[in-house]
């Protein structure tokens, strides 16, 4: 077997691993929103539910990572990473959990279709990738789909316009997180341990908001078998979701990682409409068509060879 052939096979295997992680993470992301919908229907405190689920998933990952505890470290760089990456993880999750009552799980799931476009735009602005006009066209087309969806849903009484627009901030925050985690990934830290620290940072970010907005309600999470079951399910989803989320980021980088949103949007909207009985969002076909068209144009541009940007080396694997 030639070196070229062996390299091609390794590339194919990496591609299959990345695709498998992409499908798993995107599906679990949609499932986490579905569980949030049930938790909200059960009148559980939403921010507290999210905070405890993230903290518990962090503990689960620390237990999984115990065999490599000799490589654990907690220096200034690792603490910064856990705090900043955790905050950028907590914000979109909190927005989703708070907004699900007002705009529905289907609309929130659809918003996950946009991070790939926003991540690429940020990468260009930070000179991590060369500007291509076809990919820029894809970005603008996809984002226009989100705007159409937000305005039409609010106009039809499907949720306050403010909540719809706030949900559209989620892709921006997710994209910032994708870029930050790539640029600041601390070398030599076990992946499972690092993931646990980021989830702990996310939970700590939510703690003051939970105490201020939902004081004394943490006991409700275990007050009945149903609420405890929902919490246990969300902890399981978060543990598996974020473990493979970080594996995918290390395998394929931030722009590829952002494609989990397309999977989450597809699965989440289908579950919301078919499983949760939510009405299909107004102008869904138009909005979905704009998003799909924008993503296809974006991906077609990605497949074409181009001169690398001056700082493209920053995309090196962590």
């Amino acid at each position: 077997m030639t070196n070229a052939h062996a390299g091609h096979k390794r590339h194919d295997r990496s591609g299959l691993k990345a695709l498998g992680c992409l499908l798993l993470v995107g599906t679990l992301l949609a499932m986490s929103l579905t569980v949030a919908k049930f938790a909200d229907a059960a009148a559980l405190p939403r921010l507290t539910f999210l905070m405890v689920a993230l903290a518990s998933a962090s503990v689960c990952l620390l237990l999984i990572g115990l065999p490599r505890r000799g490589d654990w470290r907690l220096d200034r760089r690792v603490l910064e990473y856990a705090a900043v990456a955790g905050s950028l993880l907590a914000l979109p999750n909190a927005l989703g959990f708070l907004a699900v009552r007002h705009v529905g799980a289907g609309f929130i799931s659809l918003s996950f279709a946009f991070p790939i476009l926003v991540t690429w735009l940020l990468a260009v602005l930070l000179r991590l990738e060369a500007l291509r006009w076809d990919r820029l066209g894809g970005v603008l087309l996809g984002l226009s789909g989100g705007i159409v969806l937000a305005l039409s849903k609010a106009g039809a009484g499907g949720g306050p316009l403010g909540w719809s627009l706030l949900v559209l901030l989620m892709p921006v925050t997710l994209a910032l997180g994708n870029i930050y985690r790539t640029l600041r990934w601390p070398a030599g830290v076990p992946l499972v341990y690092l993931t646990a620290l980021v989830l702990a940072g996310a939970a700590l970010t939510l703690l003051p908001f939970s105490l201020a907005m939902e004081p004394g309600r943490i006991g409700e999470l275990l007050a009945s078998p149903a609420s405890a079951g929902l919490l246990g399910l969300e902890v399981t989803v978060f543990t598996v979701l974020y473990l493979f989320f970080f594996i995918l980021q290390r395998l394929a980088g931030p722009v590829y990682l952002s494609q989990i949103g397309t999977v989450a949007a597809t699965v989440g909207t289908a579950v919301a409409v078919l499983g949760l009985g939510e009405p299909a969002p107004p102008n869904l076909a138009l909005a979905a068509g704009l998003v799909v068209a924008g993503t296809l144009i974006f991906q077609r541009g990605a497949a074409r060879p181009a001169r690398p940007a001056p700082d493209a080396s920053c995309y090196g694997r962590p």
Side-chain angles (χ1 to χ4, degrees), residues 73-179:
R73 73 174 201 262
L74 201 60
D75 54 26
R76 191 173 183 177
R77 172 70 181 278
V78 173
L79 284 172
E80 174 227 303
Y81 191 87
V84 178
S87 298
L88 291 172
L89 190 69
L91 181 57
N93 272 296
L95 275 174
F97 270 61
L98 291 173
V100 70
R101 174 185 299 177
H102 303 280
V103 298
F107 178 71
I108 295 173
S109 295
L110 279 170
S111 75
F112 284 121
F114 312 132
I116 182 173
L117 307 175
V118 183
T119 300
W120 175 82
L121 186 59
L122 287 173
V124 170
L125 292 174
L126 293 172
R127 297 179 61 80
L128 300 176
E129 185 167 325
L131 172 64
R132 295 185 184 183
W133 294 108
D134 51 354
R135 298 186 80 177
L136 177 60
V139 169
L140 297 177
L141 203 57
L143 291 178
S144 68
I147 294 170
V148 166
L149 194 61
L151 293 176
S152 60
K153 189 169 182 67
L161 178 60
W163 280 108
S164 298
L165 294 176
L166 271 177
V167 167
L168 292 182
L169 289 177
M170 291 171 62
V172 178
T173 313
L174 289 167
L176 286 170
N178 293 341
I179 295 292

Side-chain angles (χ1 to χ4, degrees), residues 17-33 89 112 178 181 237-249 256-265 267:
K17 287 178 183 177
L19 179 60
C21 286
L22 178 71
L23 295 174
L24 175 63
V25 171
T27 300
L28 289 174
L29 186 59
M31 282 183 61
S32 72
L33 280 174
L89 190 69
F112 284 121
N178 293 341
R181 286 190 305 273
V237 169
F238 278 165
T239 301
V240 181
L241 162 61
Y242 287 110
L243 175 59
F244 283 92
F245 181 94
F246 274 71
I247 290 172
L248 180 60
Q249 173 131 26
Y256 189 96
L257 172 73
S258 298
Q259 293 180 97
I260 63 173
T262 304
V263 179
V267 174

Side-chain angles (χ1 to χ4, degrees), residues 40-64:
D40 184 61
L44 295 177
R46 291 168 290 171
L47 285 179
T48 304
F49 182 86
L50 174 60
M51 179 192 68
V52 173
L54 287 168
S56 302
S58 173
V59 172
C60 291
L61 287 168
L62 285 175
L63 293 174
I64 293 170

Side-chain angles (χ1 to χ4, degrees), residues 90 139 177 198 211 225:
V139 169
V198 171
L211 292 175

